[in-house]
């Protein structure tokens, strides 16, 4: 691992330093490679680690056993220093990995990333209002239809960057406080953004303006004033949206903008996603929660970290049945769930 | 291994091959050879004959065990064929089971989609139930519309009456004023006439 360590530190102290680093590590973001064989994880020290997770070739008993056999390969294949500050968000396209941290977004080639000393392809900063601002980029979103990347974060704006030319095309303003999360609505080309100001805003990309604002904390059923009004996580399914954070985790019907189901989870949730007929959520507390749309808790699977910040599903189209869920958060470990019912094993920085 | 052990291994191998499960065949053949030599060297007729009989019985025992071994070998061959056949059948059924599993997985996905739609429907239905029934609301709207019309008719007629009364009062008041004016005029005229008469009276002779 490359990190800033003075060269004259004796060996014992180095190990102590490493152990302390791992103790205080938080993994903010994860991303699967386009082939599905590698997982990239970014932490609060700015490092990105690549783990090999080879998918079972056929979903059979032997394949499950082979994934158990990979116990010894729980360490990353390669770790490199990507940013000076924490790596808050990562997304991946067919050939590139985009990582974003304090104010800048960098691109890496998946083909090059496994080699030692890999350099980023480019590093860009969206146009901020003043040059003194270096706001963090909390969320990245890929819009495949128009081949662009949306960044959102501390400066309360959504910036769109065209991937072919690399120029920043739009800056959507509307949020009054920083933005936590983004989601893409497939059918109408709209982007949803949720932020610290407690609102979920829908933006139309073609017209480049705000279409709708949902003030979640104003609805009595879901607001929890003692937690605050911040929206920490968003997921959408074109007609439906789940959002949570300060207010309770709620399922909204977007066309009528009404909250339909409140999920009875007292802990604020930091990441939520739709999966088949379930909604998976994770937040404070070590468990990944599986909810049915009617509000029932179907399962609560404990992980190894005391709090979870991100979930990622291996959506490789070649083997749609063999999906793998990984969860990471306030520790140096990434939990891998091959079957949603239990934690198979953990990868560790 | 030391080179002297080489031929020893060969010997051990050969002996095991010949009679590995120690059924006594090897011993019997050795005994037969020894008894044949004894018989050749026997003296009297009876001893020779009994020894001859003994040799024949040993020989028949050897033939019997040989026949048994041949039958066992035959049986083994046929068992192997049988096992091959069963092995192929099991392979086919494994492949079939794989396909069925894939099929069932597709069905599971389909069922999950249906379940999800079902749940979405249920959730929306709950929300819709909160709102009042459309027919009732429409009826209420109709009734209120009619009331509104009725009331506006009444208002119109009341306003019309008000205007009419206003106009009538206006006519009345203006008539009264005119009459007043006429009366005053008459009064003034009569006063003037009186004044003229009195002035003519006081000033009669020029």
């Amino acid at each position: 691992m490359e990190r800033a360590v003075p060269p004259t530190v004796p060996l014992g102290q180095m190990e102590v330093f490493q152990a302390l680093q791992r103790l205080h590590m938080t993994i903010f973001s994860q991303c699967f490679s386009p082939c599905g064989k590698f997982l990239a994880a970014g932490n609060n020290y700015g490092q990105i680690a690549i783990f090999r997770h080879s998918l079972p070739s056929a979903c059979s008993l032997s394949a499950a056993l082979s994934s158990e056999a990979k116990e010894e390969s729980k360490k990353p294949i390669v770790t490199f220093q990507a940013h000076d500050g924490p790596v808050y968000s990562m997304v991946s396209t067919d050939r590139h990995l985009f990582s974003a941290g304090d104010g800048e977004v960098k691109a890496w080639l998946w083909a090059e990333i496994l080699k030692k000393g890999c350099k980023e392809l480019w590093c860009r900063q969206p146009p901020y209002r003043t040059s003194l601002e270096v706001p963090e980029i909390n969320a990245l979103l890929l819009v495949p239809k128009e081949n662009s990347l949306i960044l959102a974060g501390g400066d309360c704006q959504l910036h769109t960057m065209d991937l072919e030319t690399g120029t920043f095309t739009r800056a959507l303003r509307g949020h009054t406080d920083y933005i936590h999360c983004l989601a893409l609505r497939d059918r109408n080309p709209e982007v949803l953004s949720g932020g610290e100001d407690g609102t979920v805003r829908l933006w139309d990309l073609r017209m480049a303006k705000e279409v709708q604002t949902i003030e979640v904390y104003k609805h009595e059923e879901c607001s929890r004033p003692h937690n605050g009004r911040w929206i920490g996580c968003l997921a959408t399914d074109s007609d439906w949206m789940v959002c949570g954070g300060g207010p309770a985790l709620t399922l909204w019907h977007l066309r009528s903008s009404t909250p339909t189901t409140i999920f009875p989870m007292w802990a604020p949730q930091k990441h939520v996603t739709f999966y088949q007929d379930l909604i998976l959520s994770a937040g404070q507390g070590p468990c990944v929660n599986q909810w049915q749309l009617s509000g029932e808790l179907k399962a609560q699977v404990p992980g190894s970290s005391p709090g979870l910040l991100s979930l990622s599903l291996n959506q490789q189209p070649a083997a749609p049945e063999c999906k793998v869920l990984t969860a990471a958060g306030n520790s140096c470990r990434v939990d891998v769930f091959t079957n949603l019912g239990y934690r198979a094993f953990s990868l560790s920085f | 291994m030391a080179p002297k052990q080489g031929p020893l291994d060969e010997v051990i191998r050969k002996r095991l091959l010949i009679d590995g499960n120690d059924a006594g065949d090897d011993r019997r053949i050795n005994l037969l050879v020894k008894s044949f030599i004894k018989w050749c060297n026997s003296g009297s007729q009876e001893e020779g004959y009994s020894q001859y009989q003994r040799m024949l019985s040993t020989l028949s025992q050897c033939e019997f065990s040989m026949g048994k071994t041949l039958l066992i070998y035959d049986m083994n061959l046929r068992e192997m064929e049988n096992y091959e056949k069963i092995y192929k059948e099991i392979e086919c059924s494994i492949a079939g089971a794989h396909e069925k599993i894939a099929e069932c997985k597709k069905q599971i996905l389909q069922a999950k989609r249906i379940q999800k739609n079902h749940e979405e429907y249920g959730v929306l239905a709950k929300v819709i139930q909160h709102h009042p029934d459309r027919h009732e609301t429409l009826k209420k709207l109709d009734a209120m519309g009619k009331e509104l019309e009725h009331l506006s008719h009444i208002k119109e007629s009341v306003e019309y009456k008000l205007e009419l009364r206003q106009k009538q009062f206006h006519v009345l008041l203006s008539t009264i004023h005119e009459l007043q004016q006429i009366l005053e005029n008459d009064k003034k005229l009569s006063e003037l006439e009186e004044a003229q008469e009195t002035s003519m009276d006081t000033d009669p002779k020029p």
Side-chain angles (χ1 to χ4, degrees):
Chain A
M1 275 190 358
E2 307 166 341
R3 70 194 153 271
V5 167
T8 55
V9 170
L11 196 60
Q13 278 202 5
M14 178 104 112
E15 285 168 354
V16 169
F17 182 78
Q18 271 189 29
L20 276 177
Q21 243 200 355
R22 282 160 55 107
L23 193 64
H24 292 281
M25 193 183 293
T26 309
I27 299 181
F28 281 112
S29 52
Q30 319 164 50
C31 189
F32 273 101
S33 68
C35 56
K37 290 198 197 136
F38 301 102
L39 174 70
N43 69 4
N44 56 337
Y45 300 121
Q47 298 160 342
I48 294 182
I50 312 286
F51 298 90
R52 180 193 302 278
H53 169 76
S54 39
L55 265 192
S57 52
C59 299
S60 61
L61 191 60
S62 60
L65 287 177
S66 76
S67 69
E68 306 282 35
K70 297 265 184 276
E71 290 281 346
E72 60 274 0
S73 61
K74 284 193 256 182
K75 284 281 168 185
I77 312 173
V78 88
T79 313
F80 55 92
Q81 189 76 24
H83 290 261
D84 293 327
V87 181
Y88 286 119
S89 169
M90 291 198 287
V91 285
S92 163
T93 59
D94 284 339
R95 294 183 4 195
H96 299 104
L97 172 71
F98 298 110
S99 66
D102 270 335
E104 51 186 16
V105 58
K106 293 191 183 181
W108 315 80
L109 264 182
W110 274 110
E112 303 272 326
I113 220 166
L114 294 177
K115 304 182 192 158
K116 282 273 176 194
C118 118
K119 282 271 165 213
E120 68 257 18
L121 269 187
W122 44 256
C123 170
R124 296 199 185 114
Q125 268 201 4
Y128 296 120
R129 277 178 283 211
T130 69
S131 54
L132 296 170
E133 268 183 62
V134 183
E136 73 279 9
I137 299 178
N138 280 328
L140 289 175
L141 183 70
L142 273 175
V143 186
K145 277 191 191 152
E146 40 169 66
N147 199 21
S148 65
L149 181 70
I150 300 187
L151 307 90
D155 66 339
C156 317
Q157 297 175 53
L158 278 89
H159 295 274
T160 325
M161 185 184 91
D162 185 63
L163 284 175
E164 277 187 42
T165 58
T167 52
F168 288 92
T169 45
R170 307 180 199 105
L172 300 168
R173 282 183 205 131
H175 274 283
T176 55
D177 210 342
Y178 56 91
I179 301 173
H180 277 292
C181 45
L182 293 171
L184 182 67
R185 199 177 170 189
D186 275 327
R187 260 178 248 165
N188 350 3
E190 284 177 7
V191 172
L192 287 91
S193 61
E196 183 76 15
D197 55 358
T199 57
V200 173
R201 288 171 202 255
L202 284 83
W203 311 84
D204 185 315
L205 289 174
R206 281 180 292 196
M207 297 194 289
K209 65 179 178 93
E210 187 180 323
V211 169
Q212 200 184 357
T213 308
I214 300 177
E215 288 173 316
V216 180
Y217 60 95
K218 284 204 176 148
H219 290 256
E220 274 179 41
E221 309 106 323
C222 47
S223 83
R224 297 189 296 197
H226 54 273
N227 275 341
R229 45 164 90 164
W230 51 279
I231 303 290
C233 54
L234 257 188
T236 181
D237 197 19
S238 285
D239 290 327
W240 302 83
M241 169 188 85
V242 187
C243 67
L249 191 67
T250 328
L251 177 70
W252 291 74
H253 185 235
L254 276 176
R255 271 162 129 221
S256 56
S257 301
T258 50
T260 53
T261 324
I262 319 279
F263 297 101
M265 186 81 206
W266 67 268
Q269 302 293 291
K270 306 273 175 71
H271 193 104
V272 72
T273 179
F274 281 93
Y275 173 65
Q276 287 183 351
D277 63 332
L278 297 171
I279 291 174
L280 304 174
S281 77
Q284 267 182 26
C287 306
V288 176
N289 309 302
Q290 300 174 21
W291 307 92
Q292 285 185 323
L293 288 185
S294 54
E296 282 170 42
L297 182 61
K298 183 172 172 210
Q300 221 173 14
V301 187
S304 65
S305 316
L308 290 171
L309 289 174
S310 69
L311 295 172
S312 100
L313 275 168
N314 189 349
Q315 305 269 4
Q316 193 205 9
E321 299 98 14
C322 306
K323 278 189 183 154
V324 154
L325 172 73
T326 57
N330 291 335
S331 76
C332 61
R333 287 176 298 275
V334 178
D335 298 326
V336 179
F337 300 81
T338 45
N339 170 339
L340 285 192
Y342 61 93
R343 176 180 73 92
F345 54 92
S346 294
L347 302 163
S348 150
F349 253 79
Chain B
M1 294 246 270
K4 248 196 212 170
Q5 305 283 343
L8 193 64
D9 283 343
E10 280 298 313
V11 169
I12 291 177
R13 232 177 125 235
K14 263 207 182 134
R15 294 205 84 177
L16 280 172
L17 275 174
I18 289 170
D19 193 15
N21 40 356
D22 199 21
D25 293 329
D26 198 32
R27 249 182 284 131
R28 239 178 275 158
I29 293 178
N30 287 339
L31 196 67
L32 191 63
V33 169
K34 282 188 197 148
S35 58
F36 179 74
I37 293 177
K38 251 195 227 169
W39 179 67
C40 291
N41 289 340
S42 73
S44 64
Q45 185 75 347
E46 296 148 5
E47 228 187 89
Y49 186 68
S50 63
Q51 278 202 349
Y52 173 70
Q53 293 292 338
R54 246 179 275 146
M55 276 204 299
L56 278 181
S57 71
T58 330
L59 201 63
S60 63
Q61 273 178 4
C62 289
E63 280 179 355
F64 173 72
S65 80
M66 185 178 90
K68 215 166 59 167
T69 323
L70 274 176
L71 282 175
I72 291 176
Y73 171 71
D74 221 7
M75 175 195 85
N76 282 340
L77 281 179
R78 267 184 279 158
E79 272 298 308
M80 282 208 14
E81 275 178 28
N82 195 20
Y83 283 149
E84 285 283 335
K85 198 171 67 161
I86 294 178
Y87 180 76
K88 285 208 182 80
E89 273 175 33
I90 290 181
E91 261 190 15
C92 285
S93 60
I94 285 180
H98 270 305
E99 280 172 25
K100 262 194 227 160
I101 286 178
E103 188 61 44
C104 285
K105 283 201 175 156
K106 272 190 223 150
Q107 283 181 0
I108 281 186
L109 278 180
Q110 176 81 331
K112 279 195 176 164
R113 250 177 271 145
I114 292 175
Q115 167 85 338
K116 182 174 182 191
N117 288 339
H118 196 72
E119 285 188 354
E120 284 180 9
Y121 173 83
V123 155
L124 269 180
K126 247 194 263 173
V127 172
I128 290 174
Q129 292 284 37
H130 281 303
H131 293 273
D133 194 9
R134 181 161 46 120
H135 290 294
E136 284 178 25
T137 326
L138 279 175
K139 272 190 221 156
K140 273 194 204 159
L141 271 174
D142 273 341
M144 293 190 95
K146 282 195 192 123
E147 240 190 272
L148 205 67
E149 263 189 62
H150 180 62
L151 287 170
S152 64
H153 276 156
I154 292 177
K155 182 173 157 201
E156 267 184 46
S157 59
V158 163
E159 277 181 5
Y160 178 70
K161 247 195 211 174
L162 192 69
E163 262 198 65
L164 198 66
R165 295 284 176 274
Q166 259 185 349
K167 286 188 192 149
Q168 286 169 343
F169 269 116
H170 185 61
V171 164
L172 188 67
L173 280 173
S174 47
T175 331
I176 288 177
H177 274 143
E178 271 188 38
L179 197 61
Q180 259 188 348
Q181 284 284 358
I182 292 177
L183 284 174
E184 272 186 20
N185 283 346
D186 278 350
K187 212 168 151 191
K188 275 197 198 145
L189 268 174
S190 60
E191 276 179 8
L192 258 161
E193 278 181 13
E194 270 188 35
Q196 269 192 356
E197 275 182 14
T198 47
S199 67
M200 277 183 53
D201 276 342
T202 50
D203 198 22
K205 300 155 197 150

